Amino acid sequence: MLSLKNLRVNHGPLTALWDVSLDVRRGEKVGLLGANGAGKSTTMGAIVGLYPRASGTITYDGQVLERPSTAQTVAGGIALVPEGRRLFAAMSVLENLEMGVYAAANRKDRAASLARVYQLFPILREKATQNAGELSGGQQQMVAIGRALMSRPRLLLLDEPFIGVAPKLIDEILSALHSIAAEGVTMILVEQNTHRALDFVERAYVIENGHTVLEGSREQLLADPTFAAKFLGL
Ligand SMILES: Nc1ncnc2c1ncn2[C@@H]1O[C@H](COP(=O)(O)OP(=O)(O)OP(=O)(O)O)[C@@H](O)[C@H]1O
Ligand SMILES: [Mg+2]
């Protein structure tokens, strides 16, 4: 479904990604692991066209993406839940959710999409008219995920969705993500907590200093001594 080959991305004079390659098949849940500054968010941003490629290719649904615009990635069914949520704090929960409906094609499904988001996160219906900035961290994360779902994605990119979220709400969000995945939505999860990531994903890639250095199934990674030493604190 998605394939990155030898992706290189610069932020001005700084090269953030040197050589990132990964493949995600339809319906998979794939993790993207790595230390602070490794290039995880840059990888996610490059997929949705926030950052131009210096070299390498991004193929989605068999088509090479040049530098896609947000409208194109949304139309293609890719949605990003960005690091730090990026909500409009002074706008209501409902207004934030509606920001996720870009394409005309999604507009007619608006009511059904909203009903689905409220079904996954019932608290958002109760808080619909409150400003997003007044919600707890976990509830704000629900809004950010709900906003992404309003575009009816087939590929959902989640960048550290559990930062600043209380444990109880992490469980609620994980359970919603399982329901979304069960509907066939493909997911890439960026997560610093390796144990939590590997509980959720089937397979993961490790990025170090802008290079993909390791890839494997959950079982392979857990059995890999180098991986264990670096990421499992063993
Ligand atoms: N907009 C930007 N402008 C300049 N440099 C950036 C920008 N975004 C990221 N960088 C730099 O690019 C490198 C990769 O950053 P990136 O945010 O992709 O890492 P990350 O793996 O997501 O880290 P974290 O776990 O801290 O979120 C880092 O050296 C970072 O300082
Ligand atoms: Mg990041």
Side-chain angles (χ1 to χ4, degrees):
M1 178 181 214
L2 176 75
S3 177
L4 310 186
K5 290 245 181 322
N6 310 113
L7 186 65
R8 179 168 170 154
V9 175
N10 301 324
H11 290 302
L14 178 126
T15 299
L17 304 186
W18 292 92
D19 184 11
V20 168
S21 296
L22 58 86
D23 280 286
V24 177
R25 290 181 283 273
R26 199 170 301 285
E28 271 193 312
K29 299 195 285 286
V30 172
L32 199 54
L33 309 174
N36 286 324
K40 305 179 298 296
S41 297
T42 303
T43 303
M44 302 292 243
I47 296 170
V48 297
L50 280 176
Y51 311 121
R53 292 167 305 107
S55 57
T57 54
I58 303 178
T59 313
Y60 177 68
D61 270 349
Q63 286 200 318
V64 176
L65 300 184
E66 288 307 328
R67 185 178 177 180
S69 66
T70 308
Q72 278 173 314
T73 52
V74 169
I78 307 177
L80 170 66
V81 181
E83 186 171 21
R85 307 187 268 270
R86 309 251 171 181
L87 300 181
F88 293 92
M91 285 168 57
S92 73
V93 166
L94 180 58
E95 284 165 336
N96 272 278
L97 291 174
E98 287 183 330
M99 299 297 284
V101 186
Y102 293 93
N106 295 321
R107 245 170 249 147
K108 54 181 175 5
D109 299 328
R110 181 193 158 280
S113 302
L114 191 61
R116 176 66 179 140
V117 169
Y118 286 160
Q119 184 189 15
L120 288 165
F121 302 118
I123 187 74
L124 299 189
R125 189 197 297 274
E126 285 171 40
K127 307 257 178 192
T129 58
Q130 276 190 36
N131 282 351
E134 295 164 13
L135 270 57
S136 75
Q139 291 166 348
Q140 290 192 23
Q141 192 62 56
M142 291 172 176
V143 177
I145 295 171
R147 176 183 58 191
L149 293 176
M150 292 296 285
S151 71
R152 303 259 170 155
R154 291 183 291 122
L155 174 62
L156 185 61
L157 311 177
L158 298 144
D159 196 347
E160 306 212 32
F162 303 120
I163 294 215
V165 178
K168 184 175 165 287
L169 293 197
I170 290 180
D171 289 343
E172 274 182 44
I173 291 172
L174 276 170
S175 130
L177 292 179
H178 278 293
S179 308
I180 298 160
E183 291 174 353
V185 176
T186 309
M187 292 190 197
I188 304 180
L189 174 68
V190 172
E191 176 58 58
Q192 292 253 350
N193 181 327
T194 309
H195 289 282
R196 186 187 296 135
L198 291 181
D199 277 347
F200 183 73
V201 303
E202 293 135 4
R203 215 154 59 73
Y205 290 84
V206 178
I207 298 188
E208 238 174 56
N209 301 316
H211 299 262
T212 320
V213 293
L214 196 62
E215 179 268 330
S217 69
R218 174 181 18 215
E219 294 70 25
Q220 283 167 336
L221 291 174
L222 290 171
D224 184 313
T226 317
F227 181 83
K230 267 194 192 147
F231 292 100
L232 301 173
L234 302 179

